[in-house]
Amino acid sequence: RAPPGSPLRREYEPVSVCFSLASAFFPRFLRRRHSDSAHGDPECSVGVATIGFGDASGLRACSEKVRRFDSVRSTTARAQSGNAGRSMTEVSHQERGCTMSDTEMPFKYSSGKAFPLGVSQVEGGLNFALFSQHASSVILCLKLPGRGTEDEKGADVVEFVLDQQKNKTGDIWHVIVEGLPASGVLYGYRVGGPQGWDQGHRFDSSTVLLDPYAKLVSGRKYFGVAEEKSSQHFGTYDFDSSPFDWGDDYRLPNLPEADLVIYEMNVRAFTADESSGLDSTSRGSYLGLIDKIPHLLELGVNAVELLPVFEYDELEFKRYPNPRDHMVNTWGYSTINFFAPMSRYASAGGGPVAASKELKQMVKELHKAGIEVILDVVYNHTNEADDAHPYMTSFRGIDNKVYYMLDLNKNAELLNFSGCGNTLNCNHPVVKELILDSLRHWVEEYHIDGFRFDLASVLCRGPDGCPLDAPPLIKEIAKDAVLSRCKIIAEPWDCGGLYLVGRFPNWDRWAEWNGKYRDDLRRFIKGDPGMKGVFATRVSGSADLYQVNKRKPYHGVNFVIAHDGFTLCDLVSYNLKHNDANGEGGCDGCNDNFSWNCGVEGETNDLNVLSLRSRQMKNFHVALMISQGTPMMLMGDEYGHTRYGNNNSYGHDTCINNFQWEQLEQRRDGHFRFFSEMIKFRHSNPILRRDRFLNKNDVTWHEDCWENQESKFLAFTVHDHNSGGDIYLAFNAHDYFVDAVIPPPPHHKCWNRVVDTNLESPNDIVPEGVPFTGPKYRIAPYSSILLKAKP
């Protein structure tokens, strides 16, 4: 209550009356938080006025002067340093007059509504709604933009203590606040509840938490700036801006899955290097990617699969001293929020609103170019780490027992099927709905065309971690009306050993990263014995894995290289991983790479080794582009990018990950040209991308000794029943020449050599073909050929 004679009572007598009525029932309804601010009057420090919800109807007309302060320290950062305690005391007469702003900020508020979760505009105000089943108290924290300031340090803060009777429906806490600006406000929650760690609770009411349903997140401005590592992440909103203009002639590409050629890429790494030629303000941004769309078109890909663009914590390794604290998470698998775009991918440090607009502009321009956008999404874990080094930004403090899988038989420790310390409880009804809401948001708001689900086997586990035969989340994603036009791709394994390649619950909708394709092609091309038969199975569509029910060849996403593991250049340059730069003594990263260095480990000037490596890279690319199924390649492989043997380069914001545009130019007429022409050859030959599995009339295998384990040569013809444009292919993984007998071409046709990977550019690929006659073709060691039947 406001003491007699206080500024509050003198200037806002009706308010003080309301306070007096409420305080009889809620004696701690008006509170003040103390901060360890390094600035300002030490008597007053950082003051925060708190409005408590007692009798909501009696307080509706109340207004309050909010306190202005010099700085707000990150509560989360203090929690990590062990100084998270926030004292909550009654506001004294002296304190109330200490840092009072001269600006009146009137608010009206009411009990609010439970849906939708997050922040929404309602008649006359904004509704805030937060789920927490086990919380006993929830405080809404608002940071209001200060007059004439753009810096958060000049912001005003107000807190609303929600009342369980007036501001809670079921397990959802809610309040409507009137009089708030329609943009520029930062918000979070302080949530209190049971302290039983062994019961799965991790409540800490001193920590300001990010709303899981925040559509925009404000935190650091610039990517990877270590000085900003303690910055608090707040939710924010923008109801001032006009809807994004997608344009009258805008159309979704809606490409058939069978026609996709996917390019896995990292938004930041694509243009972060100075060699991109972009201005420093746009390098590594959504807008920077737009500038390089012509490269994607020249290469021939028609879908980009973006490494995570949800708001993530790139400075997660710098939270405390550790062997990895020199690194910056550039891949993005450290999700803070599932609705907000990565704000530090905005150009010029533009912040969350700019990031949202620029991401939409990027999607619009890619769609204009006929390129679909698939997001790599991480719903298997969050940035909140493990119980050994707990980090609280959102879910852990809002309702740990709901959001995460726990081992209730082991002190309620977090289960770790993600390899990152925690595992999202994906099939809990509330978490499942959050994931579905998130996916729908990206489709409806950002026009995203599809999703690749990181460690998707986690999404097939129940709350106790046990695998489910029919995971509710997986089924609902497959059946959801909004997601019905989307490509949905599973990475069908996790770090708990749930390997589901070919067995992922699919409802005839889910595609899968085909990890067996990757391993089998690597082994055959490098010359492992006994791989000829399985190589034939993989390039013909992996019917052994996917020819079930109504599944199609394109439900297998074929790849030789992905972001984790060796690049294509490193696959043919290193026998062993070289991960010392990661700070884990070389213990991280996969050991089973099925790689071959072609005779020398790493960098070399040996022309024979370099020539062999070039042939092998081309062999892999030919095999990928002629295989039935959906091909995916990695950014940078089109010019031969190297990470110098590091097969787990997630933490390097350097040339190790960044696209090297100068190298592209140096290799444009050779390596790049081959890769580009091979992709375009696939596009122009539908028999390489059928929407059904091959039958005995579709392919002829020129092989009569499948059981020969020492045979490393395979030749076959793919038949074109419509125009007779058959394609003959031969792969020689022996270390000697093979004289292959060439079958007769179709009637009234002749063979034309399109590809011979043993030849130098430009003869290694000739799109129009070079006429070939003769009964045999002498195929060089570790090389492949492609002949096309033409009139």
Side-chain angles (χ1 to χ4, degrees), residues 23 124 156 199 241-242 362 417 439 493 584 623 660 662 670-671:
S23 62
D156 295 311
Q199 297 300 310
S241 297
S242 300
M362 184 196 78
F417 297 111
L439 293 169
W493 52 81
E584 298 186 55
Q660 300 298 295
E662 289 179 354
H671 186 100

Side-chain angles (χ1 to χ4, degrees), residues 213-278:
Y213 272 79
K215 303 305 187 295
L216 299 172
V217 173
S218 177
R220 311 174 192 117
K221 282 190 173 183
Y222 300 99
F223 188 92
V225 178
E227 290 74 19
E228 293 189 61
K229 67 181 179 181
S230 62
S231 296
Q232 177 90 34
H233 288 90
F234 290 95
T236 188
Y237 54 82
D238 176 26
F239 297 115
D240 277 329
S241 297
S242 300
F244 181 79
D245 183 9
W246 291 94
D248 294 335
D249 59 348
Y250 171 78
R251 296 291 184 274
L252 294 167
N254 281 329
L255 300 177
E257 285 189 75
D259 293 346
L260 293 184
V261 176
I262 299 173
Y263 184 78
E264 190 191 26
M265 64 178 300
N266 181 316
V267 169
R268 175 170 172 79
F270 196 46
T271 63
D273 195 82
E274 289 186 11
S275 64
S276 67
L278 302 183

Side-chain angles (χ1 to χ4, degrees), residues 739-750:
D739 291 319
V741 177
I742 306 300
H747 194 53
H748 298 306
K749 305 281 185 177
C750 64

Side-chain angles (χ1 to χ4, degrees), residues 274-582:
E274 289 186 11
S275 64
S276 67
L278 302 183
D279 183 86
S280 60
T281 61
S282 60
R283 288 200 296 263
S285 70
Y286 301 118
L287 295 186
L289 191 152
I290 294 175
D291 194 75
K292 297 300 184 179
I293 289 177
H295 168 72
L296 301 176
L297 292 174
E298 186 179 3
L299 179 59
V301 297
N302 57 15
V304 291
E305 183 174 299
L306 306 180
L307 265 64
V309 297
F310 293 5
E311 184 73 23
Y312 71 88
D313 184 7
E314 78 276 20
L315 298 181
E316 65 172 341
F317 309 128
K318 300 181 183 296
R319 296 171 184 169
Y320 57 91
N322 68 91
R324 298 189 297 165
D325 59 13
H326 61 290
M327 297 200 297
V328 172
N329 186 335
T330 61
W331 284 1
Y333 296 89
S334 184
T335 308
I336 292 175
N337 175 277
F338 297 115
F339 292 84
M342 178 59 171
S343 59
R344 288 169 296 291
Y345 285 174
S347 62
V353 175
S356 176
K357 294 177 180 177
E358 292 175 11
L359 174 56
K360 291 173 184 176
Q361 188 65 37
M362 184 196 78
V363 173
K364 177 181 177 180
E365 294 303 320
L366 284 165
H367 284 176
K368 183 178 179 181
I371 298 173
E372 292 198 334
V373 180
I374 299 170
L375 299 187
D376 189 337
V377 292
V378 188
Y379 293 111
N380 59 80
H381 76 283
T382 75
N383 71 308
E384 293 189 301
D386 55 18
D387 283 330
H389 301 96
Y391 192 73
M392 188 181 294
T393 55
S394 183
F395 307 94
R396 180 191 289 265
I398 292 172
D399 207 327
N400 185 76
K401 196 170 183 177
V402 167
Y403 283 112
Y404 293 112
M405 294 184 192
L406 307 175
D407 186 349
L408 296 177
N409 296 318
K410 194 177 179 182
N411 202 33
E413 289 183 2
L414 292 167
L415 292 171
N416 183 15
F417 297 111
S418 67
C420 297
N422 63 68
T423 309
L424 210 64
N425 191 9
C426 301
N427 284 295
H428 184 285
V430 170
V431 184
K432 172 174 64 70
E433 199 58 38
L434 177 139
I435 293 172
L436 289 166
D437 286 342
S438 166
L439 293 169
R440 296 178 192 121
H441 174 71
W442 289 100
V443 172
E444 294 175 328
E445 185 72 15
Y446 293 94
H447 295 194
I448 298 302
D449 302 289
F451 304 92
R452 176 267 187 188
F453 293 79
D454 181 64
L455 298 183
S457 290
V458 164
L459 281 59
C460 299
R461 294 181 182 270
D464 60 355
C466 292
L468 304 173
D469 292 333
L473 174 60
I474 299 300
K475 179 179 180 180
E476 292 198 32
I477 291 173
K479 301 293 185 181
D480 189 83
V482 173
L483 306 179
S484 61
R485 71 167 182 82
C486 295
K487 283 75 177 177
I488 49 176
I489 304 168
E491 182 183 32
W493 52 81
D494 64 19
C495 294
L498 188 55
Y499 190 76
L500 295 174
V501 173
R503 299 184 296 111
F504 192 85
N506 57 80
W507 284 272
D508 297 327
R509 278 271 286 128
W510 282 83
E512 303 174 17
W513 269 23
N514 189 346
K516 291 186 177 181
Y517 179 98
R518 172 199 60 204
D519 296 344
D520 293 341
L521 256 74
R522 289 184 178 191
R523 295 186 63 193
F524 175 82
I525 295 294
K526 79 184 184 74
D528 281 1
M531 296 304 298
K532 179 171 62 177
V534 72
F535 175 74
T537 299
R538 296 292 160 251
V539 298
S540 58
S542 295
D544 61 325
L545 300 176
Y546 303 118
Q547 194 171 10
V548 180
N549 298 328
K550 296 181 180 179
R551 302 193 86 182
K552 306 294 184 181
Y554 54 71
H555 285 130
V557 176
N558 299 326
F559 67 104
V560 177
I561 303 296
H563 67 276
D564 48 355
F566 283 143
T567 65
L568 186 59
C569 178
D570 290 354
L571 184 69
V572 301
S573 303
Y574 294 90
N575 286 346
L576 304 171
K577 64 184 182 183
H578 295 263
N579 294 1
D580 290 342
N582 298 353

Side-chain angles (χ1 to χ4, degrees), residues 593-605:
N593 298 292
F594 303 117
S595 61
W596 177 43
N597 64 18
C598 297
V600 176
E601 185 75 357
E603 300 293 295
T604 182
N605 294 319

Side-chain angles (χ1 to χ4, degrees), residues 124-177:
L126 298 177
N127 188 78
F128 296 82
L130 176 78
F131 167 88
S132 182
Q133 177 182 344
H134 296 101
S136 58
S137 66
V138 172
I139 300 172
L140 171 64
C141 309
L142 303 176
K143 295 183 71 174
L144 306 173
R147 176 181 292 178
T149 69
E150 295 182 358
D151 196 316
E152 288 182 15
K153 294 181 179 180
D156 295 311
V157 171
V158 173
E159 293 189 336
F160 297 88
V161 180
L162 275 61
D163 174 63
Q164 293 200 40
Q165 302 301 316
K166 303 294 184 179
N167 304 106
K168 187 181 180 187
T169 303
D171 295 324
I172 298 176
W173 303 71
H174 45 78
V175 62
I176 289 177
V177 182

